[in-house]
């Protein structure tokens, strides 16, 4: 049996407030690159790992058993990744297959085959895309906008955290649907990216706006039909004042709230009644059955250059804590990807 080193990113202890790099440790052990006799698990070599805001929630000690299954101190983080099959006890997966799904933050992972979501069949696009536009964030944007948002051509769409992994896609999907699209982001460079590369009609830096209600009225004098919610808090409160009758709010995330010991209250919820607005949270896992349909939609647009995708690449597992923590200060521009190995 061949034993090789296996570098890991493990949670040091449960996190309160903003996560720090020191909340995670880089440790190195070994792993045997051979499955035990009769095992139905799959041994993966991890190539790309996805840095996602929801991972912060899993760093918190959670008492509710119906909530997320949180990380355990001393164990590797888990998340979405792109991997190559090294050995397989499941006949559906062969040595050399490329897959994406749930894996651990380490160089090699032994996992149940049930955590693998899809084999990667299309390799004429960057493999890293399967952590983003062709992976969980892509399906999130697609399902949230088209299935939950129920867009009609020509509607007014607002996207918060618009330069991130999901937001940049929602804006482009909306433009393909002939909608008027405005995005918010946290820097001038990100605003320029939204307007000049990603095709948003308008964009603004929310950090420079002292009155978000007035800002939204400036960009949406007739109101908002669809608000794709990524941040929560004060942004959501201002949006509720500016929704149109029968508007829709797909709730994808609330990144502004994840690090607060006391989440911010929302005061304008009565507008949901007066304007008959539908606000709906959703989990991407309920929409993975749409993945083949999603690929049929998105792959031609990628190949024709009608949809672009911006990635922020960090190299090396040892840089994983920095890359992950950077999500919460807005350091990344585009989808944050961690490269573990390139083949």
């Amino acid at each position: 049996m061949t034993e090789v080193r296996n570098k890991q990113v493990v949670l040091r202890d449960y996190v309160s407030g903003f996560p720090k790099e020191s909340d995670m440790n880089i440790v190195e052990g070994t792993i045997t690159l051979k499955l035990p006799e009769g095992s139905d698990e799959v041994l993966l070599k991890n190539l790309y790992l996805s840095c996602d805001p929801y991972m912060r929630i899993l760093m918190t000690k959670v008492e509710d058993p119906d909530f997320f299954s949180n990380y355990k101190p001393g164990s590797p983080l888990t998340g979405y990744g792109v991997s190559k099959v090294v050995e397989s006890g499941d006949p559906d997966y062969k040595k050399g297959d490329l897959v994406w799904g749930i894996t651990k933050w380490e160089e090699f992972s032994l996992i149940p085959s049930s955590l693998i979501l899809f084999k990667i069949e299309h390799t004429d696009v960057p493999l890293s895309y399967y952590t983003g536009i062709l992976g969980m964030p892509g399906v999130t944007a697609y399902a949230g906008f088209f299935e939950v948002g129920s867009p009609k051509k020509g509607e007014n769409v607002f996207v918060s955290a618009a330069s991130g992994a999901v937001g940049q896609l929602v804006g482009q999907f909306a433009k393909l649907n002939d909608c008027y699209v405005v995005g918010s982001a946290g820097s001038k460079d990100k605003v320029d990216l939204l307007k000049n590369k990603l095709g948003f009609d308008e964009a603004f830096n929310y950090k420079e706006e002292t009155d978000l209600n007035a800002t939204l009225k400036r960009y949406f004098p007739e109101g908002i039909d669809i608000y794709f919610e990524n941040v929560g808090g004060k942004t959501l409160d201002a949006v509720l004042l500016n929704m149109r009758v029968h508007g829709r709010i797909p709730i994808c995330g609330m990144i502004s709230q994840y690090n607060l010991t006391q989440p911010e209250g929302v005061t304008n919820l009565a507008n949901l009644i007066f304007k008959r607005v539908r606000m709906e949270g959703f989990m991407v896992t309920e929409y993975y059955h749409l993945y083949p349909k999603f690929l049929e939609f998105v792959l031609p647009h990628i190949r024709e250059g009608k949809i672009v995708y911006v990635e922020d690449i960090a190299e090396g597992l040892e840089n994983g804590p920095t890359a992950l923590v950077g999500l919460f200060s807005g350091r990344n521009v585009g989808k944050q990807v961690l490269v573990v190995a390139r083949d």
Side-chain angles (χ1 to χ4, degrees), residues 136-138 140-142 159 161-171 228 230 252 309:
M136 179 273 288
T140 300
Y142 178 80
V159 185
S163 68
V166 174
Q168 61 175 298
L169 294 175
V170 173
F228 200 95
N230 284 310
C252 170
Y309 198 61

Side-chain angles (χ1 to χ4, degrees), residues 6-271:
N6 193 31
K7 191 182 295 181
Q8 301 174 314
V9 179
V10 304
L11 183 68
R12 186 177 62 82
D13 201 354
Y14 293 117
V15 175
S16 178
F18 277 79
K20 306 178 293 296
E21 293 174 34
S22 59
D23 291 322
M24 292 160 273
N25 291 330
I26 307 296
V27 302
E28 191 167 305
T30 60
I31 190 169
T32 301
L33 296 187
K34 190 69 178 176
L35 291 179
E37 190 71 29
S39 172
D40 60 358
E41 294 182 299
V42 180
L43 182 62
L44 300 175
K45 179 180 182 181
N46 294 315
L47 305 178
Y48 299 92
L49 297 174
S50 178
C51 298
D52 296 301
Y54 80 86
M55 297 174 70
R56 167 61 188 87
I57 302 173
L58 306 186
M59 294 179 175
T60 303
K61 187 173 184 179
V62 179
E63 303 296 340
D64 185 351
D66 295 325
F67 200 56
F68 292 99
S69 178
N70 56 312
Y71 299 142
K72 300 296 185 288
S75 296
L77 307 185
T78 60
Y80 287 90
V82 174
S83 311
K84 180 185 287 187
V85 175
V86 177
E87 292 284 345
S88 175
D90 185 323
D92 289 338
Y93 301 99
K94 307 298 183 187
K95 182 177 181 179
D97 282 349
L98 294 168
V99 297
W100 73 268
I102 300 295
T103 189
K104 299 176 184 178
W105 275 42
E106 55 189 359
E107 292 175 294
F108 294 90
S109 292
L110 183 63
I111 66 165
S113 59
S114 59
L115 294 181
I116 297 174
L117 294 174
F118 299 98
K119 285 185 186 179
I120 294 174
E121 308 287 353
H122 304 279
T123 56
D124 60 326
V125 293
L127 268 183
S128 59
Y129 276 18
Y130 289 90
T131 67
I133 184 172
L134 296 177
M136 179 273 288
V139 183
T140 300
Y142 178 80
F145 183 66
F146 289 109
E147 299 293 319
V148 182
S150 303
K152 303 177 183 66
K153 290 187 181 297
E155 288 193 314
N156 297 333
V157 177
F158 175 48
V159 185
S160 57
S163 68
V166 174
Q168 61 175 298
L169 294 175
V170 173
Q172 292 181 85
F173 293 168
K175 288 307 300 176
L176 290 171
N177 210 55
D178 296 325
C179 294
Y180 167 74
V181 186
V182 177
S184 63
S187 72
K188 180 182 183 303
D189 288 344
K190 291 179 180 180
V191 168
D192 290 343
L193 175 71
L194 294 174
K195 294 170 66 174
N196 299 327
K197 185 169 184 177
L198 299 177
F200 283 60
D201 293 294
E202 293 289 349
F204 63 87
N205 181 350
Y206 70 90
K207 294 178 181 178
E208 295 179 345
E209 303 294 336
T210 56
D211 185 342
L212 282 175
N213 178 30
T215 301
L216 292 173
K217 282 181 166 52
R218 184 167 76 245
Y219 287 105
F220 296 100
E222 297 178 354
I224 300 166
D225 294 294
I226 298 175
Y227 168 49
F228 200 95
E229 168 66 297
N230 284 310
V231 301
K234 296 175 183 177
T235 300
L236 174 59
D237 223 14
V239 165
L240 289 169
L241 295 173
N242 289 277
M243 293 297 296
R244 297 182 73 178
V245 172
H246 297 301
R248 286 83 69 205
I249 304 177
I251 303 179
C252 170
M254 292 192 173
I255 193 171
S256 73
Q257 305 302 295
Y258 296 162
N259 300 311
L260 302 181
T261 53
Q262 180 60 50
E264 295 173 320
V266 177
T267 62
N268 295 318
L269 288 172
N271 287 272

